[in-house]
Amino acid sequence: MESVSPKRYRRDMLKISNTVELADWEIEITQIRAQGAGGQNVNKVASAVHLRFDIPNSSLPPFYKERLMALSDQRISKEGVVIIKAQSFRTLEMNKEDALQRLKALIQEAVKQQKARRPTRPTRSAKRRRVDSKTRKGKTKALRGKVEP
């Protein structure tokens, strides 16, 4: 009988939804040194991550591309390149994971359907209460005039 070894999960794709996945070649991740205070280690180790994702040249469906390009997000350049900098964790792996999760959240937020706003009107009683309070305030202010002897 042949032994079955457990499968190791290798991350080749970033799953956005059930039907949309991003391949590794579409996401460019480079190591950089983190900014700010952090002691001696921060000056030696490049543990921060710059993630670059080119929207027009990606394998995303056209609908996703249109919605992403329409976003007014400072992380998206005019050419359609998403740049995410992750440096909140001490390790490179955690910063990579953080950057990928932020990219995933950005894409999911862009394609989320917004609820259509249904304009409402104030009720008749609300209008009446508003006018009554205005009348009451006007009477109060009218009493503030000069007192005649």
Side-chain angles (χ1 to χ4, degrees), residues 35-81:
Q35 290 178 318
Q40 295 164 350
N41 196 48
V42 80
N43 300 325
K44 295 185 293 185
V45 182
S47 60
V49 165
H50 245 165
L51 180 142
R52 293 174 64 86
F53 175 67
D54 192 3
I55 298 168
N57 297 328
S58 69
S59 64
L60 285 174
F63 169 72
Y64 278 64
K65 290 180 184 181
E66 289 169 18
R67 294 292 290 266
L68 274 169
M69 294 298 279
L71 274 182
S72 60
D73 195 306
Q74 64 185 16
R75 297 173 289 186
I76 302 173
S77 69
K78 290 175 189 157
E79 295 80 34
V81 178

Side-chain angles (χ1 to χ4, degrees), residues 6-149:
K7 288 186 178 179
R8 296 196 194 280
Y9 177 70
R10 207 172 117 233
R11 184 179 163 75
D12 291 326
M13 304 283 233
L14 177 65
K15 190 171 181 154
I16 305 296
S17 69
N18 291 337
T19 55
V20 179
E21 289 182 338
L22 292 177
D24 270 353
W25 61 267
E26 297 181 83
I27 302 167
E28 180 189 326
I29 296 177
T30 52
Q31 295 172 279
I32 56 170
R33 285 199 190 137
Q35 290 178 318
Q40 295 164 350
N41 196 48
V42 80
N43 300 325
K44 295 185 293 185
V45 182
S47 60
V49 165
H50 245 165
L51 180 142
R52 293 174 64 86
F53 175 67
D54 192 3
I55 298 168
N57 297 328
S58 69
S59 64
L60 285 174
F63 169 72
Y64 278 64
K65 290 180 184 181
E66 289 169 18
R67 294 292 290 266
L68 274 169
M69 294 298 279
L71 274 182
S72 60
D73 195 306
Q74 64 185 16
R75 297 173 289 186
I76 302 173
S77 69
K78 290 175 189 157
E79 295 80 34
V81 178
V82 179
I83 300 171
I84 295 175
K85 183 177 183 181
Q87 61 177 13
S88 33
F89 297 101
R90 287 175 62 120
T91 63
L92 178 70
E93 291 76 26
M94 288 180 76
N95 281 328
K96 275 185 189 176
E97 194 59 39
D98 180 40
L100 289 168
Q101 290 308 314
R102 283 166 42 194
L103 175 66
K104 180 179 177 179
L106 177 72
I107 295 171
Q108 287 175 338
E109 191 65 35
V111 296
K112 194 179 351 177
Q113 289 287 3
Q114 296 294 322
K115 254 188 177 176
R117 183 188 175 278
R118 286 180 40 221
T120 57
R121 290 194 173 143
T123 61
R124 189 179 295 133
S125 62
K127 287 179 186 175
R128 191 174 359 90
R129 281 194 307 269
R130 187 182 127 265
V131 172
D132 289 348
S133 77
K134 284 170 72 88
T135 310
R136 226 177 303 117
K137 288 258 194 227
K139 286 179 183 173
T140 305
K141 289 184 175 190
L143 292 172
R144 292 183 188 158
K146 286 190 176 180
V147 178
E148 300 212 5

